[in-house]
């Protein structure tokens, strides 16, 4: 590789990293990992004991055997075909809790904040609505002006307007 191509490669990589969305994505991944730990702690500390009051403390222990007697040794199924529906239920609960917390603690407050900010901006700048004029409207105005102009010119001479 020549020195020029290395330099352009490094410059391109630097430009890629310095784009705002890459940094935002990196921050989101770090925050998401930390947030996952919080949600997992809530599931382990609150949800699992509540479920444990009605059955076993760990949802991962729930399973159904499809074929033959299922023999479990050390938490693993050694014979038979088992459906581990408890693990699926646990993951689903974790997802629902995560989605609920994200919505009520992040999305909803941010939407309310942005709505208040937009209302403040509208109040500060007044109701200055820009009138959008389309090309068709401009052409209609030109046509009407030409027809009106022709009508004025021909009215004095007695000629008809086509």
């Amino acid at each position: 590789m020549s020195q020029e191509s290395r330099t352009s490669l490094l410059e391109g990589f630097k430009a890629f990293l310095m784009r705002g969305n890459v940094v935002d994505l990196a921050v989101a991944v770090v925050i998401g990992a930390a947030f996952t730990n919080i949600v997992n702690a809530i599931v382990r500390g609150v949800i699992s004991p509540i479920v444990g009051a009605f059955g076993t403390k760990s949802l991962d222990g729930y399973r159904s055997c499809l074929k033959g007697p299922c023999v479990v040794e050390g938490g693993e199924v050694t014979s038979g075909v088992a459906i581990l529906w408890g693990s699926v239920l646990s993951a689903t609960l974790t997802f629902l809790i995560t989605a609920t917390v994200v919505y009520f603690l992040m999305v909803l407050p941010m939407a309310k904040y942005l709505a208040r900010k937009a209302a403040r901006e509208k109040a500060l700048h007044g109701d200055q609505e820009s009138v959008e004029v389309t090309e068709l409207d401009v052409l209609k105005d030109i046509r009407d002006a030409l027809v009106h102009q022709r009508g004025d010119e021909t009215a004095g001479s007695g000629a008809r307007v086509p």
Side-chain angles (χ1 to χ4, degrees):
M1 240 180 172
S2 69
Q3 184 65 23
E4 265 184 41
S5 63
R6 281 189 205 151
T7 304
S8 65
L9 186 65
L10 288 175
E11 287 174 4
F13 184 66
K14 181 180 174 185
F16 169 74
L17 289 179
M18 299 315 273
R19 289 192 333 209
N21 55 358
V22 173
V23 174
D24 291 343
L25 182 60
V27 169
V29 168
V30 171
I31 296 295
F35 189 70
T36 299
N37 289 334
I38 293 170
V39 171
N40 287 337
I42 290 171
V43 170
R44 278 192 311 271
V46 177
I47 303 298
S48 292
I50 291 172
V51 172
F54 300 105
T56 177
K57 186 174 182 178
S58 174
L59 291 176
D60 293 335
Y62 291 110
R63 64 186 96 220
S64 297
C65 192
L66 282 183
K67 184 177 180 184
C70 292
V71 178
V72 179
E73 293 178 7
E76 294 292 321
V77 178
T78 56
S79 70
V81 177
I83 301 288
L84 307 174
W85 60 269
S87 298
V88 174
L89 181 62
S90 177
T92 303
L93 283 175
T94 301
F95 170 77
L96 289 174
I97 291 169
T98 303
T100 302
V101 171
V102 166
Y103 179 76
F104 285 109
L105 294 182
M106 295 179 179
V107 174
L108 192 61
M110 183 58 91
K112 287 182 179 181
Y113 168 75
L114 291 175
R116 276 187 262 136
K117 183 179 176 185
R120 262 188 258 122
E121 288 290 324
K122 188 175 181 181
L124 284 175
H125 298 298
D127 293 329
Q128 299 173 348
E129 294 183 21
S130 61
V131 178
E132 188 174 317
V133 179
T134 64
E135 186 177 344
L136 184 59
D137 293 334
V138 171
L139 290 173
K140 285 179 182 178
D141 290 342
I142 292 171
R143 179 202 63 201
D144 293 343
L146 288 172
V147 167
H148 182 60
Q149 183 181 14
R150 283 185 190 164
D152 288 345
E153 290 175 0
T154 58
S157 66
R160 275 186 9 168
V161 177

